[in-house]
Amino acid sequence: MWLAVIAILIGLAILVWSADVFIDGATALAKKFSVPSFLIGVLILGIGTSAPEMVVSVLAALEGSPELALGNAYGSNIINIALVLGATVLISPIIIRKGIVKRDLPLLLLITVIAAWQLRDGILSQVDGLILLVLLIAVLGLQIVLSIREGYHEHEEDIDNADSDATEPSVARGLGSLLLGMLMLVISSRAIVWGAVELATLWGLSELIIGLTIVAVGTSLPELVSSMSAARKGEHDMALGNIIGSNVFNTLAVVGLATVIAPIAADPVILSRDVMAMGLLTVLLVALCVFAFTTKRQFGRTSGATLVLFFVGYTAWLIQSVSIVNPL
């Protein structure tokens, strides 16, 4: 038991440190190449912090359990919005920019609708997987082109007010910090999940409950700490881009790759419970962001509390439904 406790404590310490290194590297590269922070959040943080979900899903598909990839991806999407973004804005409110409301959030909503539509018959074929991967390439290309063309001028005031004596960021140092931070984020989150699972097992919790709660939250720890660190450093676009990018990547790449490897016959409860929760949460996120933008308010603590309460309610629903099917 003490080994599990030590793993959790050391993992948390490394997680906080590596998040700072990760964000510093991403910020340095954004400044060096004049790339919008939101784009860095979508491409580097969003995809990089989805590494745990990607590894779990690909291995599950290769080992003959592709349905685990579906639960992993959709569960992570719910946690990313409800817990990660909710907790982030509770600590540091985020400013919602026009491009996010007009382009990025509608795109996320459309992708969520496509995911639900593909699951209408309970089967995800390899053709469905290929469609998701093609959509991923198109979405990433669109994000790159539009963000570079339209996004960076939104930050011109920040650039003009920056210290002119600041040293020019080093590409090598920025890239090194980014890679080191991402590697340590993944490793430390794995240590925390291992320790938590060991403790939960010792306390007599079922493996199913452990997988649906502790492990699901654990694989989202990189997103949680990275987003909090980004928001704390004033990189609001990077924090929100991390969440949107991670959810887009989970829905298109994680599910797409797993489905191409092996078709998925989904349990009907995934559509009626998890996909529905993911859809409702995405609509709620869009509504809260639009309200914050149109009223020129920050996406702040009230919105964060609303998202966290959604997560608490979903988790209670999840545990209740699992307990009915598999009583402890």
Side-chain angles (χ1 to χ4, degrees):
M1 183 179 75
W2 287 111
L3 185 60
V5 172
I6 291 173
I8 293 174
L9 293 177
I10 293 178
L12 285 172
I14 296 176
L15 196 69
V16 173
W17 171 79
S18 59
D20 278 340
V21 175
F22 194 29
I23 297 300
D24 287 342
T27 303
L29 290 178
K31 291 178 179 179
K32 177 66 178 179
F33 296 106
S34 298
V35 175
S37 293
F38 183 83
L39 184 59
I40 292 290
V42 169
L43 293 182
I44 298 179
L45 302 190
I47 294 176
T49 56
S50 292
E53 289 89 344
M54 175 62 71
V55 173
V56 169
S57 296
V58 170
L59 289 178
L62 290 173
E63 292 172 3
S65 300
E67 68 279 1
L68 290 179
L70 206 58
N72 182 30
Y74 295 161
S76 293
N77 283 357
I78 292 170
I79 291 172
N80 283 345
I81 297 176
L83 180 61
V84 175
L85 185 59
T88 297
V89 297
L90 280 175
I91 295 174
S92 180
I94 292 175
I95 298 172
I96 303 298
R97 301 187 187 275
K98 181 170 65 175
I100 294 173
V101 171
K102 289 192 172 182
R103 181 182 66 236
D104 302 298
L105 286 173
L107 186 61
L108 176 62
L109 185 59
L110 175 62
I111 290 172
T112 303
V113 170
I114 291 173
W117 180 79
Q118 284 189 331
L119 271 172
R120 68 195 185 283
D121 56 357
I123 300 291
L124 283 178
S125 66
Q126 290 178 316
V127 173
D128 290 326
L130 287 173
I131 291 174
L132 293 177
L133 294 180
V134 170
L135 283 174
L136 174 68
I137 295 173
V139 167
L140 292 181
L142 181 66
Q143 289 281 8
I144 292 172
V145 172
L146 294 182
S147 290
I148 291 177
R149 180 184 300 172
E150 303 171 2
Y152 199 67
H153 69 84
E154 295 177 348
H155 309 283
E156 286 177 352
E157 291 183 5
D158 296 333
I159 294 173
D160 292 337
N161 294 330
D163 184 3
S164 60
D165 295 330
T167 57
E168 182 75 10
S170 166
V171 175
R173 177 176 293 183
L175 187 59
S177 296
L178 192 72
L179 295 177
L180 175 62
M182 184 167 61
L183 176 64
M184 297 310 296
L185 275 173
V186 174
I187 292 175
S188 57
S189 66
R190 295 292 87 208
I192 293 170
V193 170
W194 176 84
V197 170
E198 287 295 310
L199 286 180
T201 303
L202 289 173
W203 292 337
L205 298 177
S206 71
E207 291 184 2
L208 186 57
I209 292 294
I210 293 169
L212 290 170
T213 54
I214 297 174
V215 176
V217 173
T219 56
S220 292
L221 283 176
E223 286 91 341
L224 176 61
V225 181
S226 295
S227 293
M228 285 185 171
S229 180
R232 181 170 54 84
K233 292 175 181 289
E235 295 289 347
H236 301 110
D237 284 357
M238 194 178 290
L240 186 54
N242 181 21
I243 301 302
I244 294 178
S246 182
N247 279 23
V248 168
F249 193 75
N250 286 341
T251 304
L252 298 180
V254 174
V255 177
L257 276 176
T259 307
V260 167
I261 293 172
I264 299 176
D267 190 319
V269 75
I270 293 179
L271 185 61
S272 63
R273 181 190 63 202
D274 305 305
V275 173
M276 184 176 71
M278 182 176 68
L280 289 174
L281 191 55
T282 304
V283 171
L284 176 62
L285 173 63
V286 172
L288 290 174
C289 287
V290 169
F291 176 77
F293 176 74
T294 54
T295 58
K296 300 190 182 304
R297 298 179 181 179
Q298 289 183 321
F299 189 82
R301 292 179 175 84
T302 301
S303 298
T306 301
L307 294 177
V308 171
L309 286 174
F310 188 103
F311 172 75
V312 172
Y314 168 75
T315 302
W317 181 21
L318 185 64
I319 293 175
Q320 181 184 32
S321 63
V322 169
S323 299
I324 292 174
V325 178
N326 299 280
L328 298 175

